[in-house]
Amino acid sequence: MPTPTVPRSAVQLEREAYRRRQTILSVVVAAVSTAVVGGLLLAAVTGAPGWRRVRASFFDPHAAREALPAVARGLLLNLELLLFCAAGALLLGLGLAMLRTLRPAVFFPLRALATGYTYTFRGLPLIITIYVFAFGVPGLRLSGTPSVLVLGGTALVLTYGAYIAEVFRAGIESVHPSQLAAARSLGLTYRQTMRHVVLPQAVRRVAPPLLNDLVAMQKDVGLISLAGPVDAIRAAQIETSVSYNYTPYILAGVLFVLLAIPLVAVTDWVTVRAARRQSGDNGQ
């Protein structure tokens, strides 16, 4: 049988109408204040004495159109590098986190090695790591040395793997020990417990910070241009050296922002969803 509809009282209807008016008023106030602040900033920038020279050097539409094909081709290289480096960093970070959470004393050398690795690469600037791998490793003249692009990507994987390892470790250690004990009491091995009980919960809890690391990596893949591959940044540098106009750099920056918007939106959505789930769990 359908559930009978309970009639709402006049007080409840008045409260709902008041909330709707407040919502509309908040949107209007936010829009007006944003327009005012944006107008003031625009007037301050365009009214500066050197604005015409800056506009011609950094915001030239003709230079942007000329550089767009080369910069867009370079951005595809950045995107491919991002996909491979993200997958490699996730696998490396998960493996390191598993090593750092091993408790038996016999695994102390592995824990110490993983700890030293994360400390080193979290403290070492990424640009130095790229220089060492892109220019130092080829200098050894070993047979089978990969390309500079692969070496630069390896530097990205090693650096971000250290950060992601700490994120995974925090997620693993956030799972209550009673769940591990319960799983082991049911006859599950340590590997089965980690696979079926601990890791699913850990990954769900650390999804927002993992996505934030992915957004950061999306920007840092542009540093591969320091090693020589023609990505978006390197293409912009080449175009600038030809025209002596810095608009290609602005164009590359805009393309990077457009590439990051979907990732940032997904990150925000996952963060809000996780917060709601956690508050619901706490409410229960």
Side-chain angles (χ1 to χ4, degrees), residues 92 96 113-126 128-130 132-133 154-163:
L92 177 60
L96 290 170
L113 182 63
T115 302
Y117 172 87
T118 55
Y119 283 8
T120 299
F121 281 94
R122 287 170 66 197
L124 190 64
L126 175 58
I128 294 179
T129 308
I130 291 177
V132 169
F133 275 82
T154 303
L156 284 165
V157 170
L158 293 177
T159 299
Y160 274 89
Y163 289 104

Side-chain angles (χ1 to χ4, degrees), residues 18 20 46 65 79 90 121 149 165 176 179 217 243 248 252 271:
Y18 174 77
R20 286 195 296 268
T46 57
R65 286 193 300 269
L79 182 58
L90 285 172
F121 281 94
L149 179 62
H176 199 275
Q179 299 195 33
M217 180 183 288
S243 63
T271 302

Side-chain angles (χ1 to χ4, degrees), residues 146-202:
S147 65
V148 174
L149 179 62
V150 174
L151 292 173
T154 303
L156 284 165
V157 170
L158 293 177
T159 299
Y160 274 89
Y163 289 104
I164 292 175
E166 290 302 289
V167 174
F168 274 126
R169 184 173 70 92
I172 292 173
E173 293 181 350
S174 68
V175 179
H176 199 275
S178 62
Q179 299 195 33
L180 280 75
R184 298 303 296 271
S185 66
L186 293 175
L188 297 180
T189 63
Y190 176 79
R191 179 181 298 180
Q192 292 172 333
T193 300
M194 295 297 294
R195 178 181 177 183
H196 298 290
V197 178
V198 177
L199 287 181
Q201 299 182 64

Side-chain angles (χ1 to χ4, degrees), residues 79-119:
L79 182 58
E80 294 174 358
L81 187 64
L82 172 64
L83 295 177
F84 285 102
C85 289
L90 285 172
L91 294 176
L92 177 60
L94 181 59
L96 290 170
M98 297 287 290
L99 291 178
R100 293 202 63 183
T101 55
L102 293 175
R103 293 292 175 243
V106 69
F107 295 115
F108 174 78
L110 294 178
R111 291 201 309 270
L113 182 63
T115 302
Y117 172 87
T118 55
Y119 283 8

Side-chain angles (χ1 to χ4, degrees), residues 199-220:
L199 287 181
Q201 299 182 64
V203 171
R204 187 167 59 248
R205 294 179 180 182
V206 302
L210 284 178
L211 289 173
N212 282 326
D213 286 336
L214 181 59
V215 173
M217 180 183 288
Q218 180 267 332
K219 296 183 298 182
D220 284 343

